[in-house]
């Protein structure tokens, strides 16, 4: 009877550990599949054109402006995303002015496929290896 209770106690301690181990392994395998997603040159060009169209980057759009202490009027983007290729040529410069623009699906895919380089004064630099 005593050995049966010991076995039950051991199982009660080990089953949660086994469940956590299985969850960790499955999470790692799913995360590695997403992180390894690379874009082809054609997909990247298509995504860049969609982002430019969605964010109206080629057209004049209404921007919010900030007046600094000296009376100068400056546009106020939340952040600017710059994506370069492996030859350091600028592929996309996207000033983000609204939260809706930050949640753009194509822009997120481009950023997730790119390597983060540096952030400076609300400007985020990425490199996309094509």
């Amino acid at each position: 009877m005593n050995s049966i209770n010991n076995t039950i106690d051991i199982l009660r301690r080990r089953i949660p550990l086994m469940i956590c181990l299985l969850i960790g392994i499955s999470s790692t395998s799913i995360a590695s599949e997403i992180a390894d997603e690379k874009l082809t040159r054609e997909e990247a060009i298509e995504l860049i054109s969609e982002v430019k169209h969605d964010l109206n980057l080629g057209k004049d759009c209404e921007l919010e402006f900030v007046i600094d202490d000296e009376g100068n009027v400056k546009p106020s983007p939340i952040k600017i995303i710059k994506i370069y290729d492996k030859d350091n040529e600028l592929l996309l410069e996207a000033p983000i002015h609204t939260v809706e623009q930050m949640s753009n699906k194509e822009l997120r895919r481009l950023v997730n496929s790119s390597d983060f380089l540096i952030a400076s004064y609300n400007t985020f630099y990425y490199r996309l290896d094509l």
Side-chain angles (χ1 to χ4, degrees):
M1 184 73 167
N2 203 11
S3 67
I4 294 174
N5 287 336
N6 287 340
T7 307
I8 291 174
D9 287 340
I10 290 171
L11 287 176
R12 282 185 185 166
R13 283 184 271 157
R14 291 189 180 173
I15 288 178
L17 291 174
M18 292 172 59
I19 291 172
C20 290
L21 181 65
L22 290 174
I23 290 172
I25 291 171
S26 63
S27 299
T28 304
S29 66
I30 291 171
S32 64
E33 290 174 10
I34 293 172
D36 291 339
E37 179 183 348
K38 293 290 182 185
L39 295 175
T40 64
R41 186 165 197 74
E42 293 78 25
E43 288 175 332
I45 291 170
E46 182 180 327
L47 282 174
I48 289 170
S49 66
E50 288 178 19
V51 168
K52 286 181 178 179
H53 179 265
D54 290 347
L55 301 182
N56 295 325
L57 296 179
K59 305 172 187 172
D60 293 334
C61 57
E62 292 184 22
L63 303 175
E64 295 182 23
F65 293 96
V66 172
I67 300 176
D68 64 4
D69 295 337
E70 298 171 357
N72 298 326
V73 177
K74 298 181 177 181
S76 64
I78 297 171
K79 68 178 175 177
I80 299 171
I81 295 175
K82 293 185 178 187
I83 300 177
Y84 291 87
D85 67 0
K86 63 182 176 182
D87 298 325
N88 293 328
E89 292 183 30
L90 183 63
L91 298 174
L92 176 69
E93 181 175 357
I96 307 297
H97 295 278
T98 63
V99 176
E100 291 82 21
Q101 289 177 334
M102 279 198 325
S103 62
N104 184 291
K105 194 169 49 172
E106 289 83 14
L107 182 60
R108 287 285 101 209
R109 186 166 177 214
L110 273 172
V111 168
N112 290 340
S113 297
S114 303
D115 296 324
F116 176 72
L117 298 175
I118 192 169
S120 175
Y121 299 107
N122 290 337
T123 303
F124 296 82
Y125 296 91
Y126 295 89
R127 182 178 59 227
L128 184 62
D129 291 326
L130 298 176

